Every structure is written in C-alpha cells, then in structure tokens.
Amino acid sequence: MTLLNFFQLLVSGIAMGAIYTLTAKGLFITHLATHRLNFGQGDFLMVGAFASIGMLTAGVPAPLAVLGVLVIMGVLGYLLERFAIRPLDRLGDRAGAYSWVLTTAGSALILQNIVELGFGKSAQYAPPLFSKTRDNVINIFGVGIFFEEAAIIITAFVVVGAFYWFLFGSRWGKAVYAVAFNPEAASLFGIDVRGVVVLVFVLAALMAGISGVLVGPLVSVHPHMGLIFTIKALAVAAVGGFTNPVGILVGGLLFGVAEAFSNYWDSAFGDLYPLLFVMALLAVRPSGLFGERRADVR
C-alpha cells in the first residue's frame, strides 16, 4: 500500500464514518429520551437518499432538494411517533415491553415497498451535491482526494456540531435530558413530555435524512439498503457507548476507517470484519469504549 492509497482510504473511511455517526445519533437521541430505538433508522436514511435522487434528477437545485428532503423526513419522524410509538404508550404494559421493535421494523418494511414501487429494485447513485462531476479531485498537501468526499466530511461534522449545541446548549436539549432522567418530574416542572418525545423522533428522522442525502453520491442506493445501515449504526453506537454522544462520534470514525481498510484488503468480506471486531469488543466491554461501567439507575 502506497502512502497515497493510505490517505485516500483514510478520507473515504472518515466520510463514511461521519455518515454512520449521523445515523447513530438518531438512535442515540431516541434511546436517550424514550429508551426505545427506531429499527427503521437505516430505512429512513434510504428514503432520504431516494428523495434526494428524485429531486436532483428532476432538476431541483441542490439547496431546495435538501430542504425538501428535510421536510419529508420531519413528517415521517412525526408519523412514526404518532402511529408506531404513541399507541403503545397508551396501551402500557398490555402492549409488551418491546412492541416498538415490531412497529418500527414494520414501518421500515412499508417504506421499503413504497420506494420500490416508485424507483424499482435496481441500485443507483445520486448526482453529486457539491461539484459538477463525481470524479472532481483536489490536492491537499500533495494528496489527491475527491472533492465530494471532503465536502461531505465537512458537512457531516457541521451537522454533528449543531447536534451537540442543541443537546448541551439549548433549552430543548436540557428538556430532552430532563425527560430522559425522569419524565414525571419533568412534567411537574412544566416540560411538555409528549412534545419532547415527538421532537426526538423528528430529529432522528432528520439525521437519517441528512445521512441519506450525503451517502447517495458515495455508495449505490437501493430500496433494501436500510437494514445494513441500521446494523452499522447500532454497532457504532455500541462501540462508542450508547450514553455518550462524543463516544459515538469516535466510534463512527473508527468504524468507517476500519471498514475502508478492511474492504481494501478483502473486498469480498470487507464489511464483515469490522462487525466481528465490534462483537469481540462488546464481549469484553459490553458498555463500549466510552460507555458507563456502572448500570444506569434512572
């Protein structure tokens, strides 16, 4: 492996790692506030990717296409909470502790079939977002990297930074943590608990939509890609520690870089090795690299 190949693989890994991080952030925030996960998070990413492809190929300018995708994803996030999560809350114990696994996975299957009816089963790429051609190369310190990958990395980190500001610096972020700690006490302090739950599912859908917009120019997009992205996002969150948003960022970058080098050495099973490493890591450290060693007593 030459030094040029090393840096190119590193950049590609960071780009995909940043996308995995965004997807995992959606899992993190819903789990934080509700102790539930959207097992269709990867399929929300898939919908965002296809919505972006549809708008860009129709000639919609990229900024308007991204805005359109965000609107669509926000509505889907609200509908998921309204029809797949909220009815279970009303049923209480009668619904079963993990009924949300079936409802969110069922929503994912519905989305897969709707997209397949509209776009077909064949894989396709999204037009580039930040440049006119997909193979536009820029030189950084003598190393040629694709401009699209560099722009995606910057965009993903800006979104992650905005997510951290929301979580730790805004009033709504503090409300999310208050609901996560004790919903009843948060309600007594005047916090709209139901509104916070709706907000976190909308945010999770937005993160998935942004991930879909960014991943379209990098990998082939097809209606059944969502499951693998859900699995990888879960792996990233597990490696970083489900309760540590900074750890999830580190876990996402490590996973993306490991996947890039793994595929370089073995293209047939390159995606498998990072997942095997995650399984081995969790066997030794179930809380992840940055997770809490003690049980969460909330």
Side-chain angles (χ1 to χ4, degrees):
M1 177 188 295
T2 65
L3 186 62
L4 176 61
N5 286 337
F6 174 83
F7 280 109
Q8 287 176 337
L9 287 171
L10 183 64
V11 171
S12 297
I14 292 174
M16 287 304 300
I19 292 171
Y20 294 147
T21 298
L22 289 177
T23 310
K25 293 297 183 186
L27 296 175
F28 160 76
I29 196 170
T30 53
H31 183 265
L32 175 68
T34 67
H35 299 282
R36 292 168 177 169
L37 297 172
N38 175 14
F39 274 77
Q41 184 76 357
D43 290 278
F44 275 54
L45 177 151
M46 177 271 297
V47 171
F50 272 103
S52 173
I53 290 174
M55 293 183 192
L56 291 173
T57 54
V60 178
L64 291 179
V66 173
L67 180 61
V69 170
L70 294 180
V71 171
I72 292 171
M73 299 312 299
V75 172
L76 285 178
Y78 169 79
L79 293 176
L80 179 73
E81 191 281 333
R82 181 65 182 82
F83 295 105
I85 300 297
R86 193 180 305 184
L88 303 180
D89 293 338
R90 292 174 178 170
L91 290 173
D93 293 338
R94 290 178 296 165
Y98 296 99
S99 299
W100 48 269
V101 175
L102 295 177
T103 57
T104 56
S107 301
L109 290 175
I110 292 172
L111 292 176
Q112 287 177 19
N113 283 278
I114 291 174
V115 171
E116 192 172 295
L117 287 173
F119 290 88
K121 298 181 179 180
S122 59
Q124 48 193 296
Y125 280 92
L129 288 171
F130 303 100
S131 57
K132 293 182 178 180
T133 59
R134 193 184 308 278
D135 56 354
N136 186 13
V137 177
I138 58 174
N139 288 311
I140 299 179
F141 301 113
V143 178
I145 63 174
F146 289 112
F147 179 81
E148 194 74 12
E149 288 182 341
I152 285 171
I153 291 171
I154 294 171
T155 303
F157 274 94
V158 168
V159 174
V160 169
F163 177 84
Y164 286 145
W165 172 85
F166 166 82
L167 206 57
F168 300 113
S170 71
R171 177 176 173 271
W172 277 101
K174 294 180 175 64
V176 170
Y177 268 101
V179 171
F181 183 77
N182 192 316
E184 292 78 13
S187 179
L188 291 175
F189 277 98
I191 296 174
D192 181 4
V193 175
R194 176 54 58 186
V196 169
V197 172
V198 172
L199 174 66
V200 296
F201 276 95
V202 169
L203 280 176
L206 292 177
M207 301 295 276
I210 294 171
S211 301
V213 170
L214 296 179
V215 82
L218 296 181
V219 301
S220 59
V221 177
H222 56 88
H224 300 283
M225 65 184 288
L227 178 60
I228 187 63
F229 274 91
T230 299
I231 292 173
K232 289 180 179 180
L234 285 168
V236 165
V239 168
F242 242 110
T243 60
N244 192 326
V246 178
I248 292 174
L249 172 61
V250 176
L253 297 180
L254 289 175
F255 190 92
V257 171
E259 184 180 71
F261 282 92
S262 178
N263 276 289
Y264 176 80
W265 291 112
D266 187 351
S267 59
F269 298 99
D271 286 350
L272 176 63
Y273 299 133
L275 293 173
L276 292 176
F277 171 77
V278 171
M279 292 174 63
L281 172 66
L282 294 180
V284 177
R285 189 179 175 88
S287 60
L289 293 175
F290 304 94
E292 298 175 354
R293 295 193 178 186
R294 292 178 298 176
D296 189 347
V297 297
R298 287 179 295 181

